[in-house]
Every structure is written in structure tokens, then in C-alpha cells.
Amino acid sequence: MRLSSFLLPVSKNNPQDAQIVSHRLMIRAGMIYQNTSGIYSYLPLAQRVIQKLDHIIETGLNKIGCQRITMPTIQPASLWIESGRYGDYGKEMLKFEDRHDRPLVYGPTHEEVVTDIARAYIKSYRQLPKILYQIHWKFRDEIRPRFGVMRGREFLMKDAYSFDETEQGARHTYEKMFNAYLDIFKMMGLNVIPLKADPGPIGGDLSHEFHVLADTGESELYYDEAFHELQPQDMTMEKLTQLYAVADDQHDPYQCSIPKERLKSRRGIEVGHIFYFGDKYTKSMNMITVNSKGEPIHPQMGSYGIGVTRLLGAIIESSHDAQGIIWPKEVTPFQVGLINLKEDHKVKADELYHHLLDHHLSCLYDDTDEGIGKKFSTMDLIGLPLQIIIGDRIQENLVEIKIRHTGDRHIMSMTDAVKFVEDFYM
Amino acid sequence: MRLSSFLLPVSKNNPQDAQIVSHRLMIRAGMIYQNTSGIYSYLPLAQRVIQKLDHIIETGLNKIGCQRITMPTIQPASLWIESGRYGDYGKEMLKFEDRHDRPLVYGPTHEEVVTDIARAYIKSYRQLPKILYQIHWKFRDEIRPRFGVMRGREFLMKDAYSFDETEQGARHTYEKMFNAYLDIFKMMGLNVIPLKADPGPIGGDLSHEFHVLADTGESELYYDEAFHELQPQDMTMEKLTQLYAVADDQHDPYQCSIPKERLKSRRGIEVGHIFYFGDKYTKSMNMITVNSKGEPIHPQMGSYGIGVTRLLGAIIESSHDAQGIIWPKEVTPFQVGLINLKEDHKVKADELYHHLLDHHLSCLYDDTDEGIGKKFSTMDLIGLPLQIIIGDRIQENLVEIKIRHTGDRHIMSMTDAVKFVEDFYM
């Protein structure tokens, strides 16, 4: 992509109303535009990251047999009356009527809709277990939207819903989903800590939150230092839930099960939340399935969320410096930024750009006539993991590669630079 | 994908309220579930086709330099008041207020929102032309939703918006988009006819609709028979707009510019609509850009829609038979269906299934214990272009391939069958 034709409205100035760093950087890097309070448009740079997150989530969930669907944003209010939750979200749930005065809501979550679908089709234990998911927009009318995409009103979420014949089966599905979450966050290049959590208005007795560590996080987490010494084979629900980890509202220093010297505390941002709540909805909404003994049962359900647009903010909170964003290479909008410093070198720069594309590497090519300082600061701000800079040494066929995270610079030939980028992403 | 774990709620019975064949087949093939009047959930089979359509549209638009974004479904009413269109959609536009009594609408289209974004960032002719697009959900509160996804209330649309410095530039962009549409529909395996159209509430003086031909189409089209003799090199706006083609409301037999014997008439379904409307929105919303002479101007705009969920219906209307859907190979949810007729052959069937996956071929494998008749009718109903049937001749290592469209059957070895599928999709 040539920067001259890309919509990247970067800005030097910090927006006044942005209180947290991810909000500031997303505005400054031209990722989002606020249409009205808590409602954003996602501009091309953000769109590219969203599509990568979507792809990683889809890959992780399809791997364990989840099936993707799309449910509507607008739901009939009658389903919420049936489940008994019509009042639970209060004014956070947007309620209105259509032209025929039928009451509708903009879905803040989809337990009711998915249970309505499942009860129409899932009649026998032979059709279980089933995990259905969507990656779709939701609306919660927050009283005071803030922190950019972290607490917006319209937001993108992955929400999955599981149906099982038995409690044992449902707890096994919960564990499969827990492990898929570990896999998904790892594919995104993120370290997350799963916490025992309060199920809140979703209900049930088993619930975990997944938090990305970031100094600017919204909650204080208390956890076993062993989390920082985990090996790949430890990344399972079975192992991780043996370690102490809770948010501040659940932490009681006098009741804590581990010695003080092993207790660590850091701030975190919630990016996922999973729930097991048994027959709460299948019972209230009367979903009946025949079990393997021929008896009618209400299937056991769980639900599993990941905040996709929230992840944009959380990733930036956990990975940035004074110059701007530092994208994990797994989710970067482009793999490499190419900066041409002089009009004279345009032919060579174009040549390298096409080499990179020929090697299926995504590249944002700064071909503009901006000054050198602006080019460097823009590229640092938008945070691509690698930069290739074409300066006067191109006459000797040499370019400079800068690693955004460490600031390390290496001089090498054009051919080696392409190889370097390829190897970096292997 | 194994059918035993796939959510595919097929049905033999025609739903009573479904008046058109695509609606009937989408319900019967387990593609959609109606949540309430005109509002659907898209089940896994439909989801897979939607994602293919999304990918093809993205490919076609990115190729000509369009940039993907996502704008919100919920828009501030103030933008519509500014553009002067707040009343234009009448009760079709869903209007409501948030918890702070601020008026909002669920966007039926996004000219206002995109102009608001563009006026914030596009200040100079150097940033033009720009084409921004999204593939996103819209809501139009149809008074009488019907025909399934063809006239639903919540629907998925690709909407693109172009900004140019001059009228000449805008007309050139319009032509580029027209040609990209031809390319996109070709990539979907569809024949479309572009018609001169009435701009309607979007405004402007230049507009075309793209129609898929189908006997059950909503409009009667009148066009030059030359459309059926086009060569690949004729597929350009320049060539096609020289041919006569209009819908019934624009056709006057006494004014028709071609001789009667060249005039053909068939029914069609609108799947795309493009508009050039100059400064209609940039003027009313006061978007000002400096042109190459240093003067302030209102940029010239166009907008360009493709109905994505509507395409599901249109494709089925144009490609089905008495047994069910016949997917064009470009958009089929799976490339091949594998039917195992006997439990005895399970090992061989599993082996072939894994061969197909190893060759990166998508396969829906009927591993259920349903009867043979049900297996055949389900596979015909859901319309995958190829079926592989494993019967008793598997003992000689032979399987049968059925081509859904023609009904032709071929006996061959397992290895040849994989090769056959690969070649079919080359």
C-alpha cells in the first residue's frame, strides 16, 4: 500500500478528551474517528488489525469444532421477556419499537437469540455438543462512554455459546474453550492471565476472565509469580487454574492461599470472559432435548466472549512507547514500513516495494513528499514491527532496517532486507 | 467438516410463508433462521457463502485502490438533519433516542457518515481521489418484509463512497467502479446485466443497476440480445453502456433505440446499484477541499452498493433445480460433498476425507447414519457442485463422482477423484 493513497490521518496533537494512552494513540495514528459519544468508525489501519484478529479467532475456534454463524443485531424484545432478563441491563440495553410498534432491542449479548435458534433445531443428544459463535457488533448504552474503544457503546465482539447434554459434558466444553482462548491469545502474540471471576448478570457458578497485563490497565490483579515462569506445556486450564489469580474485588490478603512472597500484583485489561451457567436459559426458554436415556432435558450451556475492538486498545496499552504503538508481529496491520527519504531514490524504492509484495509481504510504502522527520515520526507512531529506510547508501545498494521494538538498526543489501523481513515473520 | 457435527437443519417441507424459491430453499437447506419478521440469523452454510462473497468483493475493490473501513450501524440523527435527508426514508429509517435522549438512527445507508469522516481529514486535492468502503449491516424497516433475504430488514451490504476533485475525475472513478463490479460478479461466477437506472433518494444524474438474470426475478428487463454474445474484452462500461438495457419502468417500446428483433426480455434481480451525485452531500454538509488551483471546492462524490445477503437469494434464484440449490463453484460453501453409504466403508471414507483436506479442498463429509435416500436428497438440496459417493465398489478402490449441475456420474479411483476435484476448481 502506498501511503500517498492510504487514508492515514495521523496527528501530532493529543486529543483533549482522551484520558488513556491507547485512546490517544488510536486517534493520533488515524485508526478511529468518533462519530458521536462512544461510537466510532474504524479507519483502514484499524480495519486491517480487526481483520487479523477476526482471522485468528476464527482459526482458533474452528480448530476445536466451533461453528460460525451471524445473528442479528436487532432482536425481538419478546425473547428477553421470556428469559426473564428484559430488565437486567437497565438503560444499557437500547430499546425501541419498529413501525408496527413491535418492541425490539439492539442486542448487548445473544444468549436469548442463540437459545431460540438451538431450541428450533437441536432435539436430540446426538446433535450435542454444539458450539456456535459469531464475530459481530453489539451495543451497550454506557452512561459515560470513555477510554476510546475500551468502553465504547457500539463494539465488535466474538461471542460463542455451547450446548451440552450433561453437566460433565458442559464442564469439558468449558475447558476446551478455556484452552482455545489460551491458544487464540498466544496466536495474537499476547500474554494473558486467566482469573476466577464473578459471573454477574450472565449467571452461573463458573466463570473466568482473561486479562492482558498493562501498567495502565483498569483493574489491579493479584496472582502467583509462577505465571511468569510458565512453559508451553503448562498452558492449559488444568494447570493454570491451580495458580492463584484474582482481580482486586475478589482478593482478600488475609484469605490468600499463597505466601506473600509469591504474590505479584499488576494492572490488567479484561479482553475475554467465559461462563458456565447450566440450564439458566434452556430452562426459562424451555429448550427441550432428548438425552441418551430417552428423557427430556434442558441442555447445559456456556457462553464465551472476546472483545475484539477492545483488544485493539488493550494491545496498544500493553505494547507502546513514547513514540507510539508497537504492534506484536502477529497482528500488525502491515509487516513492514518502507520509507524513501529522497525523490532521487524513487526507482530503487519502487523496486524494493515490488520485491516485498512479490514475496507476499504486506508493506506500507511512504512515497509521500513529507519531510524526513515527519516520515520517521509517522512510521514510529503507527508501530509496524519493521521499517526499511532508503537513504543515500542505496547507491551502494544498501538499505537500513530498523526494528521498532528495540530501536536496533542494521545495514544490508536490498535482497538481504527482503530475506530479513521474511525470516522475522517465519 | 463432518456433517455429524455441522449445524445443518435441513427440512423436506416447504415453509408456508415462503413465496419464492430462494426463500424456500434457504429455509429447507438450513441456511437461515427467522428471528422475527424480516430479521434472520445466518447459519453455518450461509455464513460460509457470505464469507466467500466478502472475500471476492474485498479482492475486487482493493485491486483498484479502494480502502476498507467500518462505520457504525448507529448514527447520530444530526448528520441526517444536516444533509437534509432526515425525512427522506420515512418510517423505513429506524429512529430512536439513547439514554440521554440524543436522537440516533440505525443507518439505512452511510453517505452522511462517510462525508462527515472525509470532511474531517481530506483537506487537499493531493488526498484525492479516495474510495472508502465497508461490508456491514444495515437496517431498513420495510413495511412488509418478504421474500426471505431478498427484502429483509437487517441486511449485509457492501457500500463504497468515492471523493474526487473534479466532475471529470468523479466520472472516471465511476467507470472504474463500474468495471470493478463487472470483475467482482465475474469472480462470483455470475452473469449480470448493467441497466441505466433512476437514482431515487440517493440523488444525482448518473446511475446504473446490476441485475442477475433469473426467471423468478423481481423486475422485467429489456435488453439488446448482444449481451448474450459478449467476449471477455467487451466487459467494460464503455462497451456495455452502448447496448440498450433498462428495467420495465424505464422501457418505452415506442422509444426503444434498437430494432424489435434484437430486443430480449427476461426477469432480473438487482444485486448492485451505483450512483454519481456530484456535490449533493459535500455541499449540504459543507465539506471543503482545496483544489489544484488553490481554490476551495466541494468534492464530487459517488456511492456504490452491493447487497451481500441479497446476493445469497439472487444466486439461488438464478441457479437451482427441482432438487435444490446449485452453487456456482466460485461461491460454494464447500467444494465437495462426500457421502458414505455404508458403515462398513467408514475407514476408506475417512481416508478419502483426509486426502481431500490434505489437498486443501473443503469438504462436507456425510458421516451420519441416515438412510441412503436422505443422504442423497440432502446433498442435492444444499447444492455443492461435486459429490463423491462411496458405495460397494470401494472394495475395488472405486468411487463415484456426481456433478450436481449436469447429473453426470463418473466412476474412478480414490486418487483420481481427488485429482478430479482439484482440476474442477483450478
Side-chain angles (χ1 to χ4, degrees), chain A residues 35, chain B residues 71-72 75 79-80 83 85 89 107-119 132 134 138 140 157-163 199 201-203 273-278 280-282 284-285 287 301-305:
Chain A
N35 296 96
Chain B
M71 293 178 275
Q75 312 176 356
L79 293 176
W80 289 76
S83 75
R85 278 212 298 180
Y89 278 81
T109 182
H110 281 66
E111 280 81 9
E112 282 78 1
V113 172
V114 80
T115 305
D116 183 46
I117 296 171
R119 71 179 167 186
L132 303 174
Q134 63 176 352
K138 304 211 175 323
R140 290 187 195 161
M157 199 168 156
K158 185 285 297 174
D159 44 325
Y161 305 90
S162 66
F163 296 88
I202 302 281
H273 200 159
I274 65 178
F275 305 87
Y276 163 61
F277 42 72
K280 175 171 170 169
Y281 301 93
T282 53
S284 58
M285 295 181 64
M287 171 179 178
M301 281 180 73
S303 76
Y304 314 85

Side-chain angles (χ1 to χ4, degrees), chain A residues 12-302:
Chain A
K12 263 198 288 205
N13 304 320
N14 274 320
Q16 287 197 331
D17 63 331
Q19 303 168 42
I20 62 170
V21 68
S22 61
H23 189 188
R24 287 197 290 273
L25 287 174
M26 287 180 78
I27 299 277
R28 286 191 48 212
M31 292 176 68
I32 49 173
Y33 173 77
Q34 179 171 296
N35 296 96
T36 187
S37 172
I39 299 182
Y40 294 90
S41 288
Y42 294 83
L43 303 182
L45 198 71
Q47 178 69 30
R48 293 179 71 98
V49 182
I50 288 173
Q51 288 184 231
K52 286 211 172 176
L53 297 175
D54 178 309
H55 181 69
I56 291 171
I57 293 170
E58 179 178 84
T59 303
L61 293 182
N62 289 0
K63 214 188 274 182
I64 62 161
C66 301
Q67 292 175 52
R68 187 161 179 176
I69 62 175
T70 302
M71 292 178 277
T73 61
I74 302 298
Q75 311 176 356
S78 55
L79 292 176
W80 289 76
I81 293 163
E82 208 181 335
S83 75
R85 280 211 296 180
Y86 193 53
D88 285 13
Y89 278 81
K91 288 193 168 179
E92 265 191 35
M93 186 154 77
L94 208 56
K95 296 168 184 162
F96 42 86
E97 284 164 358
D98 70 9
R99 65 191 298 164
H100 301 298
D101 299 325
R102 283 175 298 216
L104 301 171
V105 307
Y106 196 122
T109 182
H110 281 67
E111 280 81 9
E112 281 79 0
V113 172
V114 80
T115 305
D116 182 47
I117 295 171
R119 71 180 167 184
Y121 299 128
I122 300 178
K123 306 289 190 184
S124 153
Y125 71 96
R126 283 195 213 85
Q127 295 166 272
L128 298 176
K130 279 273 182 308
I131 312 175
L132 303 175
Y133 75 100
Q134 63 176 351
I135 300 177
H136 204 11
W137 296 84
K138 304 211 176 322
F139 199 94
R140 290 186 195 162
D141 200 0
E142 296 274 352
I143 190 161
R144 205 152 57 87
R146 60 205 150 127
F147 306 147
V149 300
M150 303 287 276
R151 187 153 301 183
R153 296 199 288 169
E154 186 168 331
F155 56 96
L156 185 61
M157 200 169 157
K158 186 285 296 174
D159 45 325
Y161 305 90
S162 66
F163 296 87
D164 272 272
E165 182 186 352
T166 63
E167 180 181 333
Q168 195 192 1
R171 288 182 185 273
H172 176 68
T173 296
Y174 184 93
E175 184 169 349
K176 254 174 64 175
M177 287 297 290
F178 189 116
N179 292 335
Y181 269 44
L182 296 174
D183 184 34
I184 285 166
F185 292 122
K186 193 176 159 219
M187 285 192 276
M188 292 176 183
L190 301 177
N191 288 315
V192 298
I193 292 199
L195 309 179
K196 235 177 111 65
D198 176 6
I202 302 281
D205 70 343
L206 178 62
S207 179
H208 287 88
E209 288 173 5
F210 293 76
H211 283 248
V212 173
L213 295 180
D215 295 340
T216 48
E218 59 200 350
S219 347
E220 189 74 24
L221 314 184
Y222 294 88
Y223 60 91
D224 193 319
E225 62 174 4
F227 269 106
H228 293 299
E229 294 142 21
L230 294 170
Q231 301 300 309
Q233 68 272 20
D234 300 328
M235 297 305 282
T236 64
M237 175 169 166
E238 201 190 337
K239 295 264 171 85
L240 295 187
T241 51
Q242 287 170 22
L243 300 175
Y244 186 78
V246 293
D248 42 8
D249 59 339
Q250 306 252 320
H251 177 66
D252 177 350
Y254 301 104
Q255 298 280 333
C256 177
S257 62
I258 56 167
K260 208 174 156 189
E261 55 279 14
R262 264 174 58 196
L263 189 67
K264 291 209 61 157
S265 156
R266 277 193 67 189
R267 298 198 73 82
I269 300 165
E270 183 194 334
V271 292
H273 200 158
I274 64 178
F275 305 88
Y276 163 61
F277 43 71
D279 61 6
K280 176 172 170 170
Y281 300 93
T282 52
K283 199 168 172 181
S284 60
M285 295 181 65
N286 202 31
M287 170 178 178
I288 293 175
T289 304
V290 173
N291 75 5
S292 56
K293 295 177 201 141
E295 301 155 348
I297 55 153
H298 300 303
Q300 298 281 311
M301 280 180 74

Side-chain angles (χ1 to χ4, degrees), chain A residues 5 7 47 67 70 73 154, chain B residues 5 7 47 67 70 73 154:
Chain A
S5 57
L7 180 68
Q47 178 69 30
Q67 292 175 52
T70 302
T73 61
E154 186 168 331
Chain B
S5 57
L7 180 67
Q47 177 70 30
Q67 293 175 51
T70 302
T73 61
E154 186 168 332

Side-chain angles (χ1 to χ4, degrees), chain A residues 386-398:
Chain A
L386 296 177
Q387 301 171 8
I388 303 180
I389 299 141
I390 299 191
D392 283 340
R393 296 195 65 181
I394 193 67
Q395 287 153 357
E396 306 155 62
N397 200 35
L398 294 176

